Each structure stands twice: as structure tokens, then as C-alpha cells.
Amino acid sequence: MSRARSAEAGFTLLEVMVVLVIASLAVMVALPRFASLFEPSLAEQARQVERTLREARSRARATASIQEVDAAMLRAALGRGDGRVEGEQSVLFFPDGSASGGLFTLRSGSDSLLLSIDWLTGRVSAGHG
């Protein structure tokens, strides 16, 4: 009799495998939705790019040397994420605080932001593109 009870006490391999398959399917469906919660928003990415540009301007003033920033440097500043920086020109920041001026577009999905660098003041501003 104890032998019959021990056979009924556990799960079969088939039952465990069915549960694992269902759980893995649920994770595969839910994971992309939760991953988007951990991705930085377009506004956060824009703030990071603006910060990078402002740091270059400050560095130009502090070191009295010209600082160059291009789209590749801005992409590197973003790190991972689905944001893309478009605009292949370089922006130069001069020791007096001015800049060569320029435009970069930051895209994430269907959203986009236009980052502009004023040539006279070197001021960085963002607006919807």
C-alpha cells in the first residue's frame, strides 16, 4: 500500500514539461512588453544628448580649445536603446562659447526630436521634428 501512495505523491515528467512549456511561452509573450519599461524614453535620450553637447561646449570654454562633436559620438553617449541620432555633420564648439551650429535628429520608433545648436551662443535646444 505504501508503494501505491508514493507513486501518486509526485508529478510525472510529462506534467513538468507541459508546465515548463506553458511558462516559457508566457515569458516570451510578456517579455517584450516589460522590456520597453526599462528602455529610456525619447525625452531621456534627448537629455543625454543635450548633456553631451553642453559638456563639449563647457570643455571648449574651460580648456580654451575647439571641441568637436559628431553624430557617432552622440550615438555612443546614448549607449543601448532604440534611439537613433541622425545627422552626419560635426559641430564645433569654440573657446568663446559659440559654435559652428548644427542640427541632429533623434528618433525612437515613430517619435522624433530635433536638436539644434545655435551658432552664435552655442546653446543646445530640443523641439519636435
Side-chain angles (χ1 to χ4, degrees):
M1 211 185 249
S2 66
R3 191 173 198 177
R5 280 190 187 158
S6 65
E8 294 175 11
F11 297 103
T12 66
L13 181 60
L14 181 61
E15 291 170 330
V16 172
M17 293 196 54
V18 167
V19 169
L20 287 175
V21 167
I22 291 171
S24 61
L25 288 174
V27 168
M28 286 174 35
V29 169
L31 192 61
R33 293 174 193 236
F34 287 114
S36 66
L37 295 175
F38 300 108
E39 292 290 324
S41 69
L42 186 62
E44 291 169 344
Q45 292 178 22
R47 282 191 292 275
Q48 177 61 38
V49 169
E50 287 179 42
R51 188 176 312 118
T52 301
L53 291 165
R54 288 186 180 120
E55 287 171 358
R57 181 176 181 260
S58 295
R59 200 168 37 255
R61 295 183 75 186
T63 62
S65 64
I66 296 173
Q67 298 291 313
E68 181 178 10
V69 178
D70 61 11
M73 293 172 73
L74 297 178
R75 285 185 205 104
L78 284 177
R80 80 174 191 78
D82 64 346
R84 295 185 323 268
V85 178
E86 298 171 355
E88 295 303 320
Q89 78 278 7
S90 294
V91 175
L92 301 175
F93 290 97
F94 302 108
D96 65 355
S98 65
S100 62
L103 296 171
F104 292 100
T105 303
L106 180 60
R107 295 190 192 281
S108 179
S110 62
D111 294 333
S112 67
L113 280 174
L114 184 65
L115 298 167
S116 62
I117 300 94
D118 184 71
W119 67 271
L120 183 60
T121 63
R123 182 172 171 245
V124 179
S125 59
H128 287 281

